[in-house]
Amino acid sequence: MNQYIQLLKSEPTLRRLSTIQLIAYFGAWFSNVAIYTLLLQMKVSPEVVAFTAMLHFLSGIIQAPFSGSIIDNMKPKKLMLILITVEIFATLFLVFVNELSDLWLLYTLVFLKMAAASFYFTTEMSLLPKLLGGEKLQKANELHSIIWSLSYTLGMAISGFVVFLFGVKIAFILDASMFVVAFFLLYRLHIEVEFIKSKESLKEMMRDSFRYFKRNPHAIHLMLMHSFVGLTAFDALVALMVDKYYASIIATSLALGLLHASRAVGLVIGPVILGNWVNNKRLVNIFIFQAFAIWLWAYLMEDFYMSLFASVIVGLFTTTLWSYTYTLLQKNIEPKYYGRIVAYNDMLFLTSATITSFMIGFLATKGFSLEFITFLIGFGFVVGAVYFKWVLATQNIKEIG
């Protein structure tokens, strides 16, 4: 952990961006628990739960072909401030969702909120390689995922109690307030990076991106590798688990918060334990470990307390998979294409998460058990391990270090 602290001390811009990230992500989980609690209180069908989970990712997919070109054509700070503003209002207006007839408003606001969040994330991940390089970039990516996980842990755990004690509307208001704080911290930050406005049109920049992929097929393979992490989009699965197994023994909001928080404990610990150990070859093992962890969760699912334990194990490998595959992509592409390729990378990741969310709801409505669905997700990581081993054997992939 000391290496991350030293990195923050030596990089003041990264330190401020990390603080903003911590505050914004912490607030976001209040509304996440509140949204699923509200849906379960309204006794919606599994399809509605799964569709809402899909919306968290679908917006990022739709905008990705354009967002990368916009990022490469606009100053990052200005763009990030606009996106936080959208998140503030989209979150605050969730207080007007009260009954089933308001689902259209919920869908719209979730779509806008997550579109802005995804766009902001892509902008920030395109900015990091311009601020840092080499091992510092890898550690910054790991730090980013640790902060996300820490925010996720505290946000989910505390928001479960907040929703239980004060209700969903207070959670939405607190979430919006967090984004207001993040806005002012970003507004006061001076970001020193070279910015050269492209003279190419957005259409030509998109064409140039595809020409780059044709010349460098390894970039496509690395994006596909990162997209396997989208299989861990467990929001719909956790909501259905709570409704089926745990609602009779613990309040819905508390169960949602504790399950997500326990997985996030593993997300925080994972890169601290595995960050210095993992390399290109060992990443294959991380994929296999992730598969077995998910299968363990499926086996222990009916018992709430054992499920909490298994959730920690599931989270242990996820952050390392996410941060290492992301850094590999950044390391193996040209700086000129950072914004566009990171955007397409996020599109594939979000597509994977969207399909996962849809299939969870679809299979559940067709009568398949939640345990079987979870087993299938775990098997996906076995496929990922085999695929990455092939990529290493056939493509010239640079090591991060």
Side-chain angles (χ1 to χ4, degrees):
M1 186 61 73
N2 185 59
Q3 54 195 327
Y4 302 115
I5 296 174
Q6 293 301 319
L7 177 62
L8 290 174
K9 286 181 178 180
S10 63
E11 300 290 341
T13 302
L14 177 65
R15 183 167 65 246
R16 176 62 68 88
L17 288 172
S18 298
T19 302
I20 294 167
Q21 178 196 354
L22 179 64
I23 294 171
Y25 284 2
F26 181 82
W29 302 123
F30 279 92
S31 61
N32 198 51
V33 170
I35 286 169
Y36 288 104
T37 300
L38 181 61
L39 289 174
L40 294 179
Q41 287 174 349
M42 292 192 294
K43 300 187 184 303
V44 300
S45 66
E47 293 100 320
V48 173
V49 174
F51 182 70
T52 304
M54 282 176 57
L55 284 175
H56 279 74
F57 311 111
L58 188 61
S59 53
I61 298 171
I62 294 172
Q63 71 188 11
F66 313 101
S67 62
S69 299
I70 294 172
I71 290 168
D72 286 339
N73 218 24
M74 190 172 179
K75 290 185 178 180
K77 178 179 174 179
K78 180 179 179 180
L79 180 57
M80 292 160 79
L81 286 172
I82 292 172
L83 295 170
I84 290 181
T85 302
V86 174
E87 289 189 81
I88 291 171
F89 287 102
T91 303
L92 189 59
F93 288 167
L94 284 167
V95 300
F96 298 112
V97 178
N98 297 301
E99 52 193 28
L100 287 174
S101 60
D102 297 326
L103 279 178
W104 67 271
L105 179 59
L106 175 72
Y107 294 154
T108 302
L109 294 174
V110 168
F111 184 89
L112 290 174
K113 175 181 169 67
M114 298 313 299
S118 175
F119 208 149
Y120 182 96
F121 168 79
T122 304
T123 306
E124 185 173 18
M125 295 308 291
S126 303
L127 176 62
L128 286 182
K130 299 175 183 177
L131 297 171
L132 305 165
E135 188 175 345
K136 280 190 174 184
L137 178 59
Q138 179 188 354
K139 294 304 175 186
N141 284 336
E142 291 175 359
L143 181 64
H144 185 105
S145 59
I146 289 172
I147 291 173
W148 183 92
S149 304
L150 181 62
S151 304
Y152 190 65
T153 305
L154 297 176
M156 283 292 191
I158 296 174
S159 62
F161 287 98
V162 169
V163 173
F164 177 69
L165 294 173
F166 303 108
V168 296
K169 294 188 185 300
I170 295 298
F172 293 143
I173 294 171
L174 286 173
D175 184 359
S177 300
M178 291 288 183
F179 284 117
V180 171
V181 174
F183 178 92
F184 283 105
L185 285 175
L186 179 60
Y187 182 78
R188 297 178 62 183
L189 174 64
H190 180 60
I191 299 177
E192 294 184 5
V193 292
E194 182 180 8
F195 174 74
I196 302 175
K197 187 177 178 63
S198 176
K199 296 180 180 179
E200 298 175 325
S201 66
L202 292 181
K203 186 176 181 180
E204 180 55 34
M205 290 176 74
M206 291 171 65
R207 286 177 177 173
D208 188 34
S209 300
F210 287 108
R211 287 193 290 266
Y212 180 80
F213 287 137
K214 188 174 181 179
R215 296 193 306 270
N216 301 276
H218 69 273
I220 298 176
H221 291 299
L222 290 176
M223 290 193 301
L224 289 172
M225 288 311 312
H226 184 74
S227 71
F228 275 90
V229 188
L231 294 173
T232 60
F234 294 134
D235 288 29
L237 179 63
V238 170
L240 294 175
M241 286 166 55
V242 169
D243 190 45
K244 181 176 181 179
Y245 293 127
Y246 317 135
S248 60
I249 61 174
I250 187 173
T252 297
S253 60
L254 294 180
L256 286 170
L258 289 173
L259 277 167
H260 285 298
S262 62
R263 182 162 66 99
V265 169
L267 294 173
V268 173
I269 297 172
V272 177
I273 298 174
L274 302 170
N276 291 328
W277 176 80
V278 67
N279 57 31
N280 286 3
K281 291 184 178 179
R282 289 172 178 169
L283 190 66
V284 174
N285 297 327
I286 300 295
F287 273 93
I288 297 296
F289 295 155
Q290 181 73 86
F292 278 101
I294 293 173
W295 290 340
L296 175 66
W297 194 25
Y299 179 72
L300 300 174
M301 184 177 292
E302 288 192 34
D303 187 303
F304 177 67
Y305 298 102
M306 293 305 295
S307 184
L308 291 177
F309 165 75
S311 296
V312 176
I313 307 302
V314 169
L316 197 62
F317 307 103
T318 307
T319 308
T320 301
L321 280 175
W322 182 92
S323 60
Y324 195 87
T325 53
Y326 217 119
T327 310
L328 266 185
L329 179 65
Q330 293 168 322
K331 178 75 173 180
N332 285 273
I333 59 175
E334 295 177 21
K336 175 185 175 182
Y337 297 92
Y338 278 151
R340 281 164 279 179
I341 292 182
V342 166
Y344 284 115
N345 179 63
D346 291 346
M347 180 181 70
L348 288 178
F349 171 82
L350 293 170
T351 299
S352 173
T354 301
I355 293 173
T356 301
S357 299
F358 171 78
M359 291 306 298
I360 288 170
F362 175 78
L363 293 175
T365 57
K366 294 300 180 182
F368 290 93
S369 69
L370 298 181
E371 289 86 349
F372 177 75
I373 295 169
T374 307
F375 174 84
L376 287 180
I377 293 172
F379 183 74
F381 284 95
V382 176
V383 176
V386 174
Y387 177 46
F388 188 59
K389 194 166 185 177
W390 176 84
V391 170
L392 290 178
T394 60
Q395 304 293 314
N396 182 24
I397 307 297
K398 300 176 185 176
E399 286 279 359
I400 290 174

